[in-house]
Amino acid sequence: MQWHTDLPLIAILRGVTPPEAEAHVAAVLDAGFDAVEIPLNSPQWQESLPMLVKAFGERALIGAGTVLKPEQVDELAQMGCKLIVTPNIQPDVIKRAVGYGMTVCPGCATATEAFTAIEAGAQALKIFPSSAFGPDYIKALKAVLPPDIPVFAVGGVTPENLAVWLKAGCAGAGLGSDLYRAGQPVERTAAQAKAFVKAYREAVQ
């Protein structure tokens, strides 16, 4: 099983507001990203997500993060979201999202959690918080996981250290505060997005 987009980097725009969401998403997509996550603890996500799906749904995998309940998956499916990211392993959430044909990337830390997620149908795994575990931990965990399940590092990934996570066996990464912080100008988002894309391409060439 392979990741469903060309570039295995997920832009996490936590805290983005509806009036600015389109500009920031356009900036990351123009830089080369093709997967965007709006966490559900962002302001008025019920407005931002349908708007982003309508504007960019043909260009990118648009969806939500910090998804905790199956009912939220129902709401997101109605909006047209195609990506579900969670901070934890909740099999009912994973199964509901898979049932809608969504790409699911749940957050896990241990082998037990990872295999629980895979059994529920998750197509990818997010190791969170990666910075607390380190690349050696991920390398060890990867040794027991099915080789066709993409693993994403999330938490503490920067353009400078992205290559380290890829070398440890990660397919890619989810990029939060080092890509986008609430309230920052679009120019900053664009510059960081380009830096991450450049770092990824240099690491895998």
Side-chain angles (χ1 to χ4, degrees):
M1 186 185 305
Q2 296 301 314
W3 182 242
H4 293 180
T5 71
D6 292 332
L7 183 78
L9 298 177
I10 303 171
I12 305 169
L13 305 185
R14 188 181 306 278
V16 73
T17 63
E20 62 185 352
E22 279 199 43
H24 286 276
V25 172
V28 299
L29 297 190
D30 289 345
F33 279 73
D34 50 11
V36 177
E37 165 195 341
I38 306 297
L40 296 191
N41 52 7
S42 301
Q44 292 98 47
W45 60 268
Q46 295 96 333
E47 291 179 41
S48 296
L49 277 166
M51 177 176 64
L52 295 173
V53 168
K54 184 177 180 182
F56 305 110
E58 297 299 316
R59 282 178 66 188
L61 199 62
I62 304 290
T66 320
V67 180
L68 302 174
K69 300 175 182 175
E71 306 83 71
Q72 292 173 326
V73 177
D74 295 336
E75 189 175 356
L76 293 162
Q78 289 172 357
M79 293 176 180
C81 292
K82 300 292 185 188
L83 174 66
I84 296 291
V85 183
T86 75
N88 63 338
I89 300 303
Q90 174 52 265
D92 289 344
V93 168
I94 297 169
K95 290 174 184 174
R96 186 72 60 89
V98 169
Y100 282 118
M102 293 167 152
T103 297
V104 192
C105 186
C108 64
T110 66
T112 298
E113 291 177 340
F115 281 103
T116 299
I118 293 167
E119 193 174 319
Q123 306 99 331
L125 297 171
K126 151 186 155 180
I127 307 300
F128 175 80
S130 290
S131 57
F133 293 103
D136 287 345
Y137 179 85
I138 291 180
K139 191 173 182 179
L141 188 61
K142 278 281 295 177
V144 299
L145 294 177
D148 60 341
I149 296 289
V151 170
F152 285 73
V154 181
V157 182
T158 67
E160 292 75 27
N161 69 24
L162 176 60
V164 174
W165 300 103
L166 298 176
K167 190 175 179 181
C170 293
L175 309 166
S177 58
D178 280 284
L179 172 66
Y180 174 82
R181 290 178 187 270
Q184 77 181 21
V186 174
E187 293 76 16
R188 167 74 179 170
T189 303
Q192 286 301 98
K194 288 172 186 172
F196 273 113
V197 172
K198 181 172 181 282
Y200 176 81
R201 290 180 175 153
E202 287 176 353
V204 299
Q205 68 183 7

